[in-house]
């Protein structure tokens, strides 16, 4: 699978780190665009920069001639994670001030899978209407709201659950968190199995 991962300047760069690593581990061809503030917030929150992912093909957010700007580049899916309200608004209104926003518009016009992972709270009516417009245009809105039913034992388990959910939405099997099973099928230690496998 050829994936384009966009990282914008919302909080939650750790989700992007988990997604980038797992997508590479699964054998995907991973391309990425970090907005200027996507790179800044990632550095601030995680101490990582875009250059820390050697197996990922990086594009300059200001280069509108790069492959993600064209519908002739055949990505199987695009994810924006985390998705800021600014990038979300631009995508909802067909505006492309950088390559990340342009690529989102391309995915919509080509009717290819686009998963947006917004991170903001609370949400204004403007944010909600932008999300509705994008959902109507064919995007999947997958908020960065980790679940607790798998009994996460630490922060990594919560982060991995969101990144794993994104991969599932693209039809990819992942090892970041275990699929739900009925309580009687579970064994002690189940909660961290996904994370332990990912660490192997
Ligand atoms: C530390 C930090 C955290 C931020 N968190 C969020 C956030 O969670 N959601 C959001 O929509 N914007 C957030 N912002 C604001 C965006 O970075 C800002 O709107 C920026 O213009 C987004 O640009 P981009 O969409 O091109 O990445 C944050 C900014 C900083 C510096």
């Amino acid at each position: 699978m050829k994936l384009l991962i966009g990282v914008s300047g919302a909080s939650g760069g750790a989700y992007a780190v988990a997604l980038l690593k797992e997508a590479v581990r699964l054998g995907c061809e991973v391309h990425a665009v970090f907005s200027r503030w996507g790179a800044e917030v990632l550095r601030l929150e995680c101490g990582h920069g875009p250059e820390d992912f050697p197996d990922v093909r990086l594009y300059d957010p200001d280069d509108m001639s790069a492959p993600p700007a064209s519908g002739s580049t055949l990505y199987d899916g695009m994810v924006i994670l985390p998705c800021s309200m600014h990038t979300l608004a631009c995508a909802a209104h067909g505006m492309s001030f950088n390559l990340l926003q342009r690529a989102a518009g391309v995915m919509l016009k080509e009717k290819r899978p686009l998963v947006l992972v917004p991170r903001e709270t609370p949400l204004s009516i403007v944010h909600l209407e932008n999300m509705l417009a994008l959902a109507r245009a064919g995007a999947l809105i997958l908020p960065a709201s980790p679940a607790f039913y798998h009994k996460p034992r630490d922060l990594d388990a919560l982060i991995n659950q969101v990144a794993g959910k994104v991969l599932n939405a693209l039809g990819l099997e992942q090892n970041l968190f275990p699929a739900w099973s009925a309580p009687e099928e579970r064994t002690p230690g189940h909660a961290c199995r996904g994370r332990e496998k990912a660490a192997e």
Side-chain angles (χ1 to χ4, degrees):
M1 190 180 241
K2 186 166 163 173
L3 269 187
L4 179 62
I5 298 180
V7 181
S8 67
S11 185
Y15 295 126
V17 174
L19 180 71
L20 286 161
K21 285 185 177 165
E22 181 68 358
V24 167
R25 199 193 66 78
L26 288 171
C28 297
E29 180 181 338
V30 184
H31 296 195
V33 185
F34 290 69
S35 71
R36 183 193 155 206
W37 279 101
E40 291 287 337
V41 176
L42 186 72
R43 263 187 249 284
L44 197 95
E45 291 185 338
C46 305
H48 282 293
E51 64 286 353
D52 292 337
F53 305 94
D55 297 318
V56 171
R57 174 81 173 88
L58 273 187
Y59 293 105
D60 178 343
D62 291 324
D63 183 4
M64 289 296 190
S65 69
S70 170
S72 62
T73 306
L74 298 177
Y75 288 109
D76 297 301
M78 176 179 180
V79 180
I80 305 183
L81 162 145
C83 185
S84 72
M85 294 304 102
H86 172 247
T87 291
L88 187 101
C90 289
H93 295 277
M95 292 187 291
S96 45
F97 298 110
N98 64 23
L99 180 63
L100 175 48
Q101 297 159 14
R102 166 66 188 165
V106 168
M107 296 304 279
L108 291 178
K109 83 180 172 74
E110 301 290 341
K111 304 228 174 286
R112 295 188 191 131
L114 174 63
V115 180
L116 303 175
V117 187
R119 211 308 317 172
E120 185 56 284
T121 194
L123 295 166
S124 71
I125 289 177
V126 173
H127 299 145
L128 292 166
E129 285 185 343
N130 286 340
M131 286 184 208
L132 183 59
L134 285 161
R136 285 191 169 131
L140 180 71
I141 307 292
L142 194 158
S145 52
F148 291 81
Y149 55 76
H150 64 305
K151 297 193 170 59
R153 288 188 186 152
D154 56 23
L155 207 51
D156 278 354
L158 284 171
I159 292 164
N160 286 344
Q161 202 262 343
V162 170
K165 199 77 182 152
V166 169
L167 291 165
N168 283 351
L170 292 167
L172 287 164
E173 290 214 14
Q174 45 78 35
N175 268 332
L176 292 176
F177 78 99
W180 171 255
S181 60
E184 63 271 19
E185 291 171 24
R186 276 186 254 155
T187 52
H190 166 98
C192 276
R193 206 178 300 148
R195 188 168 162 261
E196 284 157 10
K197 273 192 185 170
E200 280 169 17

